Amino acid sequence: MDLSNLNPFSSSDHRETGHLKMDKPDTSRRLDEMQQGVISKSLNRPDGPLKVSGTARYAAEAEADDMATGVLVGAIIPKGRVVSIDEDAAMKMPGVLGVFHGKKLLRNPAQGTANQAPIQPDGEVSYMGQPVALVVAESFEQARDAAITLAITYEEDDDGVFDPKIAEKEKPDGKQIDQGDFDAAMRDAAATVDSRYTTPVQSSAPMEPHASVAQWNGDQLTLHGSYQMLNYNKNELADSLGIDVKNVRILAPYVGGGFGSKLGIAPEAVAAALAAKALERPVRVAMSRRTVFETTMRRSETSQRVQLAADKTGKLLGLAHHASVSNLPDEGFTEPVAAATHFLYGGGSRRFTYEVARLNRSCAGSVRAPGEAVGMLALESAMDELAHELDIDPIELRVRNMPEKHPESDIPYSARNFEDCLRQGAKRFGWADRRPVPASRREGDWWIGVGVAGAARSNILGESKALVTLNADGTALVETDMTDIGTGTYTILAQIAAEMLGLPLEKVTVSLGDSELPEGPGSGGSWGAQSSGSSVYLACEAIRTKVAKALGCAAEDLTLKDGIATGGNNRKPLADLLDGPIAQEGHIEPGATMENFDQAGYGAHFAEVAVNAITGETRVRRMLGVFAAGRILNAQTARSQCHGGMIWGIGGALHEELHHDTRDGHMVNGDLAEYHVPVNLDVPQLDVLFIHQRDDHANPIQAKGIGELGISGAGAAITNAIFNATGVRVRDYPATLDKILPYLPD
Ligand code: MOS
């Protein structure tokens, strides 16, 4: 499509109203033209000192007079129902105030998606660890003591299903694609790959355990919670309790990581609210680490088959991705394994299949880049296998397969720069020194190798509102119900407002995490910064229009810097210009650019590993991530996001695996001692490079998501490096030493 035919966004209506529906590309570069010079800079987080000094209050630290403490009790059967609970015995124990149970407590975590009420199992237990009761006492120790000894009688069904291999599979509607003649492509190809990959169950494992403090004032519930998307969470909570959403307020000013597990409300929020209502006292329920593992969402294990058919130049003729995943019976979420496979590479004949095993294991949901994080472990490994098969450089192979248009929907792409990421990364990493023949570099007891993988994650714009107030004293306030889950939201929203309003950063206060503030998109799907940031930008545009009017100049002629307005022949400090505060709401809505253009962030991961010739253990020696994700709002917080993603890539490649016993669905290693995430010694120097990009189709600030881009593909660069180092191709993640050692060369 010739993009010059599209009328670029040129009207200035949003400068008056603060409202924009993203129907046209926005080619303006206003953020680049501003004078304050704080946007995109590496600036420290204003919330940083609060966090390192322990003064930032997390949900469990909320205080209230007369607080009682609740402890959740999880089912010890995987399938069946509760017949009775001996409340009387518990109530006689010291300090115990109440034992709560019933249908509302027998619940699955909510998925955090719009208008989807949490599933209320009909009094049935469907996985081990599912909360069946809450014991509330004066102290945590008393509640825990009573919870441990609580006598519960169950009726257990004997038809629980725990092993995905033997479970019945459902084929979800709308996910099976068959395009062209895939079988013919495989038949006619000069080279093919047909490989199976498996990835284990993973846990989001946020640092802060889920916690809620519930307090009622008449009909009004205030809940201090640790959640990602307050706009949805307040509705989920109201639905669960059967009350009007107007009566629910959720406060989450600080969230210690979510990684998907806090997208929707978890069982502790409902339990705390029910108990607080009944006892007429504030109730705190903080999950233990074990409970976090068992009752919040896990990532599905996957079994994947990737088939590639190429001609002798490496050009793909066909591509197929088949995925088997699991979830509880009736849960709607299916790990979107092939998410990136749909748009990353060409190949006219394409086949995609999905099947979902229904298991009595903990609930599966979104965890750190649902789809790409595990799907690209397979796809990017298969591309490496094809490159090896054809003796083509893996970077060249990828470059040869970048389609002009989306290979399935036929729509154009927005800004990509995928090739730039690969090429610039190759240069910076020293890819030219790679030895293409596996197992050809040895240093003492170590086999050394390098690997590359593409990174890609769909970009999303979510509807968002923010209220910005510019005060006559040259300070500003930004207010939205958006959350900062450790990502840097406080910082980047302050930077956008400071840049647009011409104020030093410290003059801007950002207020987040209160469901009574204007509704934002929440933190999920890596859409937070660009969506929330766009609403702040639009509010500031409207404020600038008013300031320009007061000064007597056109909005485009206005310069704001350090609290001084300049325009036309006038120059005035804001203090002299304004009679009072100017408050404007900014409101961004996704529009046609999201449907008519395939938008994604792109990148390239490079890894160098050393594999021990005696033990088979892998050490990542260095990693480079190169990313093209539109405007980078803060180089430092963005780099931190990418570091986090790359570290999870190391975890996915080498460490993380959550096990359920296939006999009874019991979670075997639900704690941070046995569920291995990368620790300091596992993480080498991580280098991050951003490619200069503005994505005009994404939003008016031309920024895209980065949080989950950093993980997508990262692990495959590591297993590809293991292959280059040793000639051992690990397709069963994680690549622990037992999967390498027996196959090492002499
Ligand atoms: Mo993310 S897994 O959408 O929090």
Side-chain angles (χ1 to χ4, degrees):
M1 187 187 281
D2 180 2
L3 300 188
S4 58
N5 291 336
L6 282 170
N7 185 15
F9 183 78
S10 59
S11 90
S12 57
D13 58 344
H14 71 273
R15 286 181 159 182
E16 304 278 342
T17 63
H19 173 252
L20 175 66
K21 187 158 185 283
M22 197 66 196
D23 282 329
K24 293 174 186 167
D26 187 336
T27 56
S28 76
R29 292 288 177 268
R30 277 199 279 285
L31 259 176
D32 295 301
E33 290 155 8
M34 295 293 144
Q35 299 296 313
Q36 194 63 31
V38 292
I39 200 70
S40 303
K41 292 279 151 56
S42 281
L43 297 173
N44 289 335
R45 300 160 188 248
D47 47 315
L50 300 177
K51 288 179 175 174
V52 295
S53 63
T55 40
R57 289 271 174 95
Y58 289 84
E61 298 172 308
E63 285 181 359
D65 290 339
D66 209 22
M67 181 100 77
T69 301
V71 168
L72 286 168
V73 182
I76 56 165
I77 61 161
K79 187 167 187 296
R81 60 213 55 83
V82 173
V83 176
S84 66
I85 294 181
D86 187 355
E87 287 175 51
D88 295 344
M91 291 299 287
K92 289 190 189 114
M93 293 180 72
V96 173
L97 298 167
V99 178
F100 301 90
H101 52 88
K103 282 188 187 182
K104 284 187 173 176
L105 268 158
L106 283 157
R107 56 184 310 103
N108 300 336
Q111 301 278 357
T113 38
N115 309 320
Q116 188 182 317
I119 291 185
Q120 308 270 4
D122 193 21
E124 302 281 311
V125 171
S126 55
Y127 62 96
M128 207 177 275
Q130 181 176 339
V132 293
L134 180 79
V135 180
V136 182
E138 296 288 352
S139 75
F140 167 72
E141 289 76 9
Q142 290 165 335
R144 184 178 55 180
D145 195 18
I148 289 167
T149 51
L150 190 67
I152 302 176
T153 312
Y154 296 94
E155 182 177 271
E156 184 172 357
D157 297 338
D158 58 10
D159 59 349
V161 183
F162 315 110
D163 185 351
K165 289 199 188 79
I166 57 172
E168 268 182 50
K169 313 283 199 309
E170 283 171 18
K171 290 197 184 298
D173 294 339
K175 286 197 167 269
Q176 327 291 331
I177 292 177
D178 212 336
Q179 174 180 311
D181 190 342
F182 179 73
D183 296 322
M186 285 297 276
R187 220 170 32 236
D188 301 341
T192 60
V193 168
D194 187 348
S195 293
R196 287 175 187 276
Y197 306 86
T198 51
T199 66
V201 175
Q202 296 178 337
S203 173
S204 13
M207 183 106 77
E208 179 203 16
H210 298 56
S212 287
V213 172
Q215 185 165 21
W216 293 80
N217 184 355
D219 290 343
Q220 302 286 316
L221 169 65
T222 301
L223 187 113
H224 295 264
S226 183
Y227 288 111
Q228 294 176 222
M229 303 210 296
L230 305 193
N231 181 2
Y232 298 125
N233 303 139
K234 68 184 179 192
N235 283 293
E236 291 165 341
L237 189 52
D239 278 355
S240 305
L241 299 169
I243 62 174
D244 193 319
V245 68
K246 287 193 182 65
N247 295 334
V248 176
R249 181 181 188 187
I250 303 182
L251 296 166
Y254 302 106
V255 178
F259 306 110
S261 70
K262 297 169 182 173
L263 285 168
I265 57 166
E268 99 291 340
V270 180
L274 290 170
K277 182 82 179 163
L279 295 172
E280 298 183 343
R281 286 175 67 167
V283 172
R284 169 193 293 132
V285 182
M287 288 192 193
S288 67
R289 184 60 67 183
R290 181 91 204 173
T291 308
V292 172
F293 271 91
E294 289 182 342
T295 70
T296 70
M297 286 178 299
R298 66 181 174 95
R299 190 202 299 280
S300 173
E301 70 286 359
T302 73
S303 171
Q304 306 177 48
R305 181 182 180 193
V306 177
Q307 295 168 285
L308 303 176
D311 69 14
K312 63 178 191 305
T313 69
K315 203 155 172 59
L316 286 170
L317 309 169
L319 166 158
H321 203 155
H322 310 277
S324 287
V325 299
S326 75
N327 208 339
L328 284 166
D330 302 323
E331 277 286 341
F333 179 85
T334 302
E335 177 83 21
V337 173
T341 315
H342 290 294
F343 67 83
L344 192 52
Y345 301 118
S349 297
R350 306 168 80 81
R351 185 175 286 163
F352 294 87
T353 65
Y354 276 90
E355 54 180 30
V356 187
R358 294 300 171 187
L359 297 181
N360 296 105
R361 284 182 175 185
S362 51
C363 187
S366 293
V367 174
R368 310 183 225 131
E372 290 91 339
V374 283
M376 291 186 77
L377 290 177
L379 176 67
E380 288 302 285
S381 186
M383 287 298 277
D384 202 66
E385 292 180 44
L386 182 62
H388 182 71
E389 175 84 22
L390 284 165
D391 199 17
I392 297 174
D393 183 275
I395 292 175
E396 284 308 317
L397 179 73
R398 286 174 173 83
V399 171
R400 287 177 196 176
N401 285 291
M402 291 176 187
E404 288 301 309
K405 286 184 185 176
H406 191 292
E408 291 154 34
S409 65
D410 213 34
I411 60 174
Y413 293 96
S414 71
R416 248 188 320 179
N417 299 100
F418 184 26
E419 182 176 351
D420 296 329
C421 293
L422 288 161
R423 299 248 189 249
Q424 291 194 35
K427 218 162 134 194
R428 187 167 170 122
F429 189 75
W431 186 251
D433 298 336
R434 164 184 181 261
R435 300 186 197 171
V437 178
S440 53
R441 191 173 156 201
R442 177 95 181 231
E443 290 177 12
D445 287 338
W446 299 88
W447 292 103
I448 314 296
V450 294
V452 67
R457 190 161 210 272
S458 289
N459 182 62
I460 299 167
L461 176 63
E463 182 170 5
S464 176
K465 291 178 183 169
L467 183 67
V468 178
T469 307
L470 174 64
N471 298 306
D473 64 358
T475 61
L477 175 65
V478 176
E479 296 172 287
T480 162
D481 77 353
M482 179 61 187
T483 48
D484 185 331
I485 61 172
T487 42
T489 316
Y490 281 106
T491 322
I492 56 119
L493 295 187
Q495 282 174 280
I496 293 168
E499 191 65 56
M500 292 298 292
L501 300 176
L503 300 174
L505 194 67
E506 59 275 13
K507 298 283 186 189
V508 180
T509 303
V510 177
S511 181
L512 302 178
D514 179 344
S515 66
E516 300 207 328
L517 296 175
E519 291 173 347
S523 301
S526 303
W527 58 63
Q530 65 269 28
S531 307
S532 188
S534 291
S535 59
V536 171
Y537 169 85
L538 292 169
C540 293
E541 281 272 61
I543 290 174
R544 290 177 60 88
T545 300
K546 290 204 168 153
V547 172
K549 259 184 205 144
L551 191 67
C553 73
E556 49 273 21
D557 296 334
L558 177 71
T559 301
L560 288 173
K561 181 155 167 58
D562 293 329
I564 295 171
T566 316
N569 287 326
N570 302 319
R571 179 186 155 87
K572 269 189 186 171
L574 288 173
D576 298 343
L577 190 63
L578 306 183
D579 323 327
I582 303 177
Q584 280 286 344
E585 186 177 83
H587 180 190
I588 182 78
E589 282 186 275
T593 59
M594 207 150 94
E595 283 136 41
N596 300 339
F597 290 84
D598 192 76
Q599 299 180 20
Y602 288 84
H605 292 283
F606 294 81
E608 179 180 302
V609 302
V611 180
N612 191 285
I614 296 158
T615 65
E617 82 183 285
T618 300
R619 296 272 157 201
V620 182
R621 299 219 300 195
R622 61 191 179 104
M623 265 183 107
L624 163 67
V626 185
F627 303 103
R631 183 191 303 277
I632 298 303
L633 299 164
N634 178 319
Q636 179 170 270
T637 57
R639 194 166 54 240
S640 292
Q641 286 285 287
C642 296
H643 282 167
M646 290 160 73
I647 291 167
W648 287 127
I650 296 172
L654 300 178
H655 306 120
E656 291 181 69
E657 54 184 323
L658 189 58
H659 290 280
H660 292 78
D661 193 319
T662 50
R663 294 167 302 182
D664 61 3
H666 165 251
M667 191 178 281
V668 178
N669 57 335
D671 58 68
L672 289 176
E674 298 291 326
Y675 181 79
H676 294 162
V677 297
V679 298
N680 262 338
L681 279 174
D682 297 312
V683 181
Q685 197 62 41
L686 301 176
D687 189 13
V688 171
L689 176 69
F690 293 111
I691 299 282
H692 180 87
Q693 186 190 71
R694 302 281 182 263
D695 194 327
D696 299 336
H697 296 88
N699 49 63
I701 58 174
Q702 298 126 359
K704 290 191 286 200
I706 43 173
E708 293 165 314
L709 178 59
I711 187 174
S712 301
I718 294 167
T719 45
N720 292 343
I722 292 174
F723 176 76
N724 180 247
T726 64
V728 181
R729 180 69 71 183
V730 181
R731 300 188 184 89
D732 176 26
Y733 287 90
T736 44
L737 47 81
D738 52 303
K739 297 169 191 168
I740 297 173
L741 187 60
Y743 312 104
L744 284 177
D746 296 331

